[in-house]
Amino acid sequence: MECYHCGAALGKETFCPNCGVDVKIYKKIVQASNSCYNQALARANVRDLSGAIDSLKKSLRFNKKNTSARNLLGLIYFEMGEMVSALREWVISKSFQPENNIAGDYLDEIQENPARLESVNQTIKKYNQALLYCRQDSKDLAVIQLKKVLSMNSKMVQGHQLLGLLYLEEGNLEQAKKALENAMEIDEGNTVTHRYLRELNSKIQAFGNGKEKKSVSYQSGNDVIIRPTSTFKESSSGSTILNIAIGLLVGVLITCFLVVPGVRQSAKSNARKEVLEANDTLSTKNQEIKTLNSKVKDLEEQLNSEKDSSDSAGGKVATYQQLLEAYAAYRDGDVTKAGDALANVNAEYLDENSKALYDAVNGEVNSKYLSELYAKAYQNYNRLNYAEALVDFEKIMEIDENYHDGYALYYIAQSYRKNNDIDNARTYYQKVVDLYPNTERAATAQRYLNEYGPASEDEEDENGDSGTADGRTNDPNQGGDNGNDMQNE
């Protein structure tokens, strides 16, 4: 165990032998975190993955830097088919412990296997599509989609649960039980699965109690004889005579009103039947064409959506990698490298914890990064290295266009002009005039605008100012242009 204040190794004492800080409460917190971690290990060994997740979350609430707990939590998420959650925990673990951390091996293995990453993306996409089908009340399509998901990732607990719930709602109790038992094999302590099984058992019990026996069967050799349980009562002689009379009357009426007209209508019925069959065939063909067109359209949309999902997953991995590089560079004191890495981070891909880390590092790095960029750009400018100066000035413009009270705007315009890029020079000269009026920089910028004309005119001087005044202005932090502008012209 290490001291939280100075990092020195701790023994049984209650005070740090190096810095003297009281570590008694800190030791209790670390011990509580380790105790929850050990409890999670015990639960994971008996396939109680949900209980293990609860214990690991408690462990991380005590000590968020417990990398062993984070790595185990990522493995459990991976075992349950939740790849995105697993990647998140491993990335955070590696940020806390960059060296000698097995989480780095997990991330490298996933990045080096594009096929596996693509399979994960497809699984997530198809599961989301199944959820959409459920919301649209297309349960049969949802079942088909979930079967595809589970064929690609058989350990996805949520997929087995949703499939079991759909079967349960359709009344397919045997298939529902099989799906929920598959979920139990992966995570025996999942409360959602237990709740679904309890509902399933109650339906099975209700179905068994409500089923009425309408027949009695018995075995005779290899044959099963089924005997109806209904009983018949012998009727009286008067009722028998009355039933015969009614039967004769009904027979005469049927002959007069049904048989004879039926023969006459037979030819007409056959003709109508042929016409209806022809119309039905035509309607069926038209419907098949519409269905095929709809399937083609759906497949094209799925193809485009899966392509976007694949690109998004690759962007997330790259963003987390850049964030780790920025943090490592910041910790080593390399502000320039940290700033360059932060510029490549897409904050939209970060979760809540990673976003907090990004904001903290970005807030510390940004001001120092801009200051070093400006010093480097200004030095290249004074050395007449305008192309190299432009590279750093453009980075400053992307972060803060008004940096250094507009001096960055002025010098990037000067650099563009001296690099014979008059169009871009006009743009930044105009911004200096608009944002910083009544200054020497604005007056100089306006003089160049008057000389080169507005942006719509194609009048560029390939040789610079041709002897006009350079319009030097003194940077309060850099000491002016030192006459370099006049020499270059």
Side-chain angles (χ1 to χ4, degrees), residues 15-39:
F15 292 91
C16 176
N18 185 39
C19 63
V21 68
D22 188 354
V23 293
K24 182 179 180 181
I25 297 177
Y26 171 70
K27 283 185 175 182
K28 290 183 178 180
I29 293 174
V30 174
Q31 290 173 357
S33 176
N34 293 336
S35 176
C36 292
Y37 170 73
N38 293 331
Q39 185 181 22

Side-chain angles (χ1 to χ4, degrees), residues 409-410 413-414 417 425-434 436 439-453 470-473:
L409 268 176
Y410 175 77
Q414 289 285 77
R417 178 177 63 82
R426 283 196 192 99
T427 301
Y428 287 104
Y429 280 138
Q430 187 62 51
K431 289 182 179 180
V432 172
V433 172
D434 294 339
Y436 300 96
T439 63
E440 182 180 353
R441 286 162 288 151
T444 303
Q446 186 62 55
R447 189 159 56 250
Y448 285 125
L449 287 173
N450 294 337
E451 178 181 351
Y452 293 116
D470 180 68
R472 289 173 293 154
T473 182

